[in-house]
Amino acid sequence: MSRPKIVILGAGYGGLMTAKGLAKELNYNEAEITLVNQNSYHYFTTELHKPAAGTSHHDHARVSISSIINKRKVNFIQDRVTSIDIEKKTVHLDQHDPLAYDYLVVGLGSAPETFGIEGLLENAFFIRSINSVRMIREHMEYMFSRYQTEKKEELITIVVGGAGFTGIEYVGELVDRMPELCREYDIPLEKVRIVNIEAAPTVLPGFDQELVDYAVKYLESKGVEFKISTPIEKCTGESVIVKGGEEIRASTVVWTGGVRGNRLIEEAGIENMRGRVKVDQYLRAPGHDNIFVIGDSSLVINEEINRPYPPTAQISTQQGQYLGRSLVATLRGNELKTFQFDNKGTIASLGKKEAIGIVWGKKYYGWTASWLKRATDLRWLFLLGGVSLLLRKGRL
Amino acid sequence: MSRPKIVILGAGYGGLMTAKGLAKELNYNEAEITLVNQNSYHYFTTELHKPAAGTSHHDHARVSISSIINKRKVNFIQDRVTSIDIEKKTVHLDQHDPLAYDYLVVGLGSAPETFGIEGLLENAFFIRSINSVRMIREHMEYMFSRYQTEKKEELITIVVGGAGFTGIEYVGELVDRMPELCREYDIPLEKVRIVNIEAAPTVLPGFDQELVDYAVKYLESKGVEFKISTPIEKCTGESVIVKGGEEIRASTVVWTGGVRGNRLIEEAGIENMRGRVKVDQYLRAPGHDNIFVIGDSSLVINEEINRPYPPTAQISTQQGQYLGRSLVATLRGNELKTFQFDNKGTIASLGKKEAIGIVWGKKYYGWTASWLKRATDLRWLFLLGGVSLLLRKGRL
């Protein structure tokens, strides 16, 4: 009697919550659960802007997967997925034998969306993984370390492309980091330039204007230069060139301007829009009752405005929690509920002590918002590993 | 009644000791003492291999000049010397008015000697200043941070050109640093390559063979690859090419193969050999009774073997101490003693816990040598700033 095989691709917010939900609910004989992830660790995408700026160590933004899953119930494979064969119900891996599945959960995350901007993919950095953010931090520090010898202004100029949530949060951390970085390399703080460039006519497009104004005023008071309604047209590696031809020389260019879905989904032949799958109310891919897509690779429509919810850790987590329960119901032949996103709100940090946000429909800024932000980070650690993980990560 | 003007160029070991000696001995009305240095701080050349590897912070290898000189007696100017006019007895500075002198002390240090090796000056790093060593550290860390993304072996290969004292000491620190660096960037330690390349037929040419063997055996046990009798012919920025054509791919190349004297001395028209001045027994430049050259820019002949002593902090310090006294004697019309180098010995550290050396003619290695090395570092801090500086630097 063979147990149904559930394969979960990706140990992000969604994948991990699915695995944890299944491991909690199912008995040993009900299913064979396999979790595949490229790294041995899960990382907190919502905190990556801190190690990218160097305000916090990247180890604070990751946790070993084996320490937070029940290894007796979940088989963890550290490997890279190379392709998904939906005909043969098989996942191909780089270093391991192919994996057969009865149910597939795809939570493979997103990739940077560069909108075809010339040179961006080759020359810009992206806040997307532990590997990428420590590279940003080290690159920036190396550029700063060269300044006293070469005295070129671009070495201590940082261009952040995109003033959405990640862009603004990263700029907030940079502002916090600069005094220390300038001391380290004997650079006068006022010589450093942080330029945030956004194509849309406002910072944080779509967000509450009062809070946006608060954020911009705060960051400008710390020396940040905003260039809104300013599309980047080219990234050369030594500079960015914006619409109209102005060239801003900068050795460090970090692109936060958008994400798209995963290439593997496109290649698998699952119906998608730029790698993202418009899932049904049970989070299933169109036409595939046994394939679930969650997290940044999924599109869930906000019925109120008939547009997809933006990809966030919040919705991914809820999708994972939902799927952990609904897959159990599927296996047991119970009735399925539909997925409903419960939008609690959004908070953007602006460094260690400042933030803006809307929670349960109420506006917050300054210290209160900053505290709420930390509370949501703590909640995720708690969901992942309970009090013991909070203690291990030194957050209690 | 105008006081004689003494101008000291360079606040290295020699210049600082001269300034301190003069400040201690002379009364206010006896001379006007001016010390010129490019940086606001003095750095410990003998310890630069540590911050270059990242085993110690560069702030531990420097001390603010204003905190260790008597500002009522010594006028300190932070500026870069652009030229010395020996006809007009004037020193030209980058940002200040020209300085007239009656007595000039030149302690401007050395520059890397690249022996015409193609690409070395452009593509290699040099252990020569605070600015240069923190750049090496940051470059190396940036290369390591890229490894998990790019997986290129050269990113985690470090070539050290030259196996003299600086080369061997730096390699010793690298060996100490690697476990931490590999943890930081999730790199298996055994994948890192440290290659020490020396043109001469032995490591530490001219040093005691038993101690050399001890050093090589220790460093090889830590994975260091030595290539002796192997001149580097080219440094491309991505690799070094050695005689015979072998290419060693390495993103970080640090050249410790030799130093030469200062360009300013050549340009001033003082008789010199590659920027170094063969001084008389009073440390005077040939034909110039009022110009004294000390430190790496001076050549003092070891009569026993009829070859110049190698440039070291030890001889520079003794020259400065001598000059601090003999300039006082000159001003007061007293009889001058000649300079005699008292060679106490040499110790090379091999990381934190290992060293080799000869002190007062006796061989030391291992922990004892390491302890002696630290004692000599402490002695310099004590000479500079007494017990208060030792306390401030946390060495007591």
Side-chain angles (χ1 to χ4, degrees), chain A residues 41 57-58 62 125 131 134-135 137-139 141-142 145-146 148-149 183-186, chain B residues 41 57-58 62 125 131 134-135 137-139 141-142 145-146 148-149 183-186:
Chain A
Y41 51 84
H57 192 270
H58 56 259
R62 65 174 169 179
F125 291 93
N131 288 337
R134 65 185 163 196
M135 195 154 71
R137 178 193 72 200
E138 292 305 324
H139 175 83
E141 292 180 5
Y142 175 44
S145 78
R146 287 166 53 182
Q148 277 297 340
T149 306
R183 262 197 314 277
E184 179 75 6
Y185 300 108
D186 302 322
Chain B
Y41 51 84
H57 192 269
H58 56 258
R62 64 175 171 180
F125 291 92
N131 288 337
R134 64 185 164 197
M135 194 154 72
R137 179 193 70 201
E138 293 305 324
H139 175 82
E141 293 180 5
Y142 176 44
S145 79
R146 288 167 53 183
Q148 277 297 339
T149 306
R183 262 197 312 278
E184 179 74 5
Y185 301 107
D186 302 322

Side-chain angles (χ1 to χ4, degrees), chain A residues 3 33 87 105 156 174 187 193 247 255 287 308 310 336 353 361:
Chain A
R3 297 173 295 168
I33 309 164
E87 298 299 323
V105 180
I156 53 172
L174 284 176
I187 296 165
R193 279 184 80 191
E247 181 177 25
W255 177 251
L336 295 180
K353 290 177 181 166

Side-chain angles (χ1 to χ4, degrees), chain A residues 36-276:
Chain A
V36 180
N37 196 61
Q38 188 169 356
N39 302 305
S40 63
Y41 51 84
H42 160 79
Y43 55 82
F44 314 144
T45 314
T46 58
E47 300 197 28
L48 287 180
H49 53 285
K50 295 179 194 174
T55 46
S56 151
H57 192 270
H58 56 259
D59 280 343
H60 295 305
R62 65 174 169 179
V63 59
S64 148
I65 290 168
S66 64
S67 75
I68 51 170
I69 56 164
N70 183 337
K71 277 168 281 186
R72 287 166 304 168
K73 288 193 173 175
V74 179
N75 173 33
F76 173 57
I77 298 178
Q78 186 191 337
D79 205 344
R80 197 169 59 80
V81 178
T82 54
S83 66
I84 301 166
D85 187 335
I86 56 176
E87 298 299 323
K88 296 190 181 154
K89 295 187 179 178
T90 305
V91 173
H92 292 272
L93 305 178
D94 190 30
Q95 306 281 336
H96 291 78
D97 290 336
L99 275 178
Y101 64 79
D102 297 302
Y103 299 94
L104 183 67
V105 180
V106 183
L108 287 167
S110 54
E113 173 61 87
T114 58
F115 305 108
I117 297 169
E118 193 184 335
L120 206 54
L121 212 52
E122 299 80 8
N123 299 314
F125 291 93
F126 303 93
I127 297 176
R128 61 180 305 213
S129 67
I130 295 290
N131 288 337
S132 84
V133 296
R134 65 185 163 196
M135 195 154 71
I136 298 175
R137 178 193 72 200
E138 292 305 324
H139 175 83
M140 177 177 72
E141 292 180 5
Y142 175 44
M143 295 303 116
F144 274 59
S145 78
R146 287 166 53 182
Y147 180 74
Q148 277 297 340
T149 306
E150 301 174 32
K151 304 277 188 201
K152 291 180 188 159
E153 304 300 329
E154 60 259 39
L155 291 170
I156 53 172
T157 301
I158 300 159
V159 162
V160 179
F165 274 88
T166 307
I168 287 292
E169 290 197 305
Y170 178 50
V171 165
E173 296 298 321
L174 284 176
V175 155
D176 273 10
R177 180 81 204 284
M178 284 309 132
E180 180 208 330
L181 211 54
C182 287
R183 262 197 314 277
E184 179 75 6
Y185 300 108
D186 302 322
I187 296 165
L189 183 57
E190 64 275 14
K191 285 197 175 284
V192 171
R193 279 184 80 191
I194 300 170
V195 188
N196 192 351
I197 303 178
E198 169 62 52
T202 173
V203 162
L204 293 173
F207 208 59
D208 178 87
Q209 193 57 45
E210 188 189 340
L211 294 176
V212 169
D213 291 345
Y214 181 90
V216 169
K217 199 174 156 194
Y218 167 72
L219 293 171
E220 281 184 340
S221 79
K222 297 291 180 179
V224 175
E225 301 167 46
F226 287 98
K227 289 185 183 284
I228 58 165
S229 302
T230 309
I232 292 176
E233 298 207 319
K234 196 174 171 181
C235 177
T236 70
E238 289 162 349
S239 66
V240 293
I241 296 162
V242 298
K243 196 171 181 177
E246 189 195 350
E247 181 177 25
I248 300 154
R249 297 191 64 80
S251 298
T252 305
V253 177
V254 180
W255 177 251
T256 68
V259 294
R260 67 189 308 279
N262 200 290
R263 180 184 58 78
L264 290 167
I265 289 175
E266 297 172 297
E267 291 170 1
I270 300 168
E271 188 183 324
N272 70 85
M273 293 149 73
R274 298 186 75 74
R276 299 181 76 190

Side-chain angles (χ1 to χ4, degrees), chain B residues 119 122-124 139 234-240 250-253:
Chain B
E122 300 80 6
N123 298 314
H139 175 82
K234 194 174 173 181
C235 176
T236 70
E238 290 163 349
S239 66
V240 294
S251 299
T252 305
V253 177

